Amino acid sequence: MESKPLSPHLQIYRPQLTSVLSISHRASGIFLGTAGLLALVVWLGSIALGPSQYEMTMSFLRHPLMLPVLLLWTGAFYYHLSNGIRHLFWDMGVGFELSTAYRSGYAVIGSTVALTSATWIYAFFEVIVEVMG
Amino acid sequence: MKIINFLGLSFLKGALGHWWHQRLTAICIIPLSLWFMASLVGHLRSDHETVVTWISSPFVTMLMVLLICGIFYHAKLGVQVVIEDYIHTRGFKLVLLTALNTGALAGALAGVLSIFSITFGIL
């Protein structure tokens, strides 16, 4: 068979910081907007239904198996928030230079890690206080 | 003509309107979602009664309703773009967009009704 040139696929490109951050914005947005919002509405609905329903939702959320999901949720939230602010600056025409795009990209990663850690450290101490009475 | 044109707000309509709505809802939900996340972490140890009292205060009720409306609309606009970008089968695209609109509307309605029923003690 005659060999023909194929159109390039996404897989043949070496992943770069900028492209990985870009697709992560969509991925985190879809995760937050589907599973995240479903959880938010279930949480609100269970508060409205009463104490036993609220306790049921909370004991589900507190289950050890939910820990990685909640970690992913807070991480996705802070990432989408930070990178969303980066997008708003681009919308104003600021930060298009390649070096600036890389620096703001690292800033987004830094702020995601810092805010996610701060949230979980605070939550951890809340739990410690509860255990200690 | 239409009042929206008269007020110079025609940029809020059509395809460009979608772009503007995405940005305006983003700006609104930045402070709202940060406030919500901080409140949520602050209520980790709260029982049902404490959470109900918190949501029932007029200020919190108002912010929660704004958050739900803004965040569901923002999510709907965002997921819509992804569907339009990646799904090229006409029928399937129509099914997904209908499901998206129905789901977003139902979710927002469920959220807002829950908040109202908590605040006004309907259930």
Side-chain angles (χ1 to χ4, degrees), chain A residues 26 30 37 40-41 43-45 47-48 50-51 54 62 73-74 77-78 81 88 91 119 122-123 126 129-130, chain B residues 19 23 33-34 36-37 40-41 44-46 48 51 68 71-72 75 81-82 85-86 107 110 114 117-118 123:
Chain A
R26 288 202 152 178
I30 291 168
L37 286 187
L40 178 64
V41 166
W43 180 76
L44 275 173
I47 298 169
Y54 175 71
R62 285 195 190 110
W73 180 66
T74 42
F77 169 74
Y78 288 124
L81 181 85
L88 288 173
D91 291 336
T119 303
Y122 184 83
E126 283 282 294
V129 169
E130 176 140 291
Chain B
W19 190 92
R23 271 73 190 168
S33 59
L34 274 173
F36 178 71
M37 188 60 109
L40 205 59
V41 176
L44 276 178
R45 295 189 296 136
S46 299
H48 183 258
V51 177
I68 291 290
I71 221 161
F72 267 96
V81 173
V82 176
D85 276 353
Y86 297 126
S114 295
S117 93
I118 294 163
L123 282 172

Side-chain angles (χ1 to χ4, degrees), chain A residues 31-49 54 57-58 60-61 66 69-70 73 77, chain B residues 29 32-41 51 54-55 60 63-73 75 104 106-115 118:
Chain A
F31 175 63
L32 292 165
T34 53
L37 286 187
L38 184 69
L40 178 64
V41 166
V42 167
W43 180 76
L44 275 173
S46 73
I47 298 169
L49 287 172
Y54 175 71
T57 307
M58 290 310 281
F60 172 72
L61 291 175
M66 282 303 289
V69 182
L70 292 176
W73 180 66
F77 169 74
Chain B
I29 61 181
L32 283 171
S33 59
L34 274 173
W35 160 79
F36 178 71
M37 188 60 109
S39 310
L40 205 59
V41 176
V51 177
W54 171 63
I55 294 180
V60 175
L63 291 184
M64 283 298 290
V65 171
L66 286 176
L67 175 72
I68 291 290
C69 294
I71 221 161
F72 267 96
Y73 189 41
L109 211 59
V112 171
L113 288 177
S114 295
I115 296 164
I118 294 163

Side-chain angles (χ1 to χ4, degrees), chain A residues 9-124:
Chain A
H9 286 272
L10 212 56
Q11 292 92 321
I12 71 157
Y13 291 108
R14 188 173 61 87
Q16 292 163 304
L17 178 78
T18 44
S19 64
V20 171
L21 291 183
S22 174
I23 195 67
S24 301
H25 194 71
R26 288 202 152 178
S28 59
I30 291 168
F31 175 63
L32 292 165
T34 53
L37 286 187
L38 184 69
L40 178 64
V41 166
V42 167
W43 180 76
L44 275 173
S46 73
I47 298 169
L49 287 172
S52 62
Q53 287 86 349
Y54 175 71
E55 275 315 312
M56 211 160 72
T57 307
M58 290 310 281
S59 62
F60 172 72
L61 291 175
R62 285 195 190 110
H63 192 277
L65 282 176
M66 282 303 289
L67 203 70
V69 182
L70 292 176
L71 193 64
L72 194 68
W73 180 66
T74 42
F77 169 74
Y78 288 124
Y79 174 73
H80 198 82
L81 181 85
S82 309
N83 201 51
I85 292 170
R86 184 167 170 246
H87 266 284
L88 288 173
F89 275 102
W90 282 334
D91 291 336
M92 293 184 289
V94 178
F96 278 126
E97 301 79 13
L98 195 59
S99 61
T100 316
Y102 267 87
R103 263 186 288 137
S104 61
Y106 283 117
V108 163
I109 295 172
S111 108
T112 304
V113 172
L115 290 168
T116 308
S117 310
T119 303
W120 280 87
I121 289 168
Y122 184 83
F124 181 72

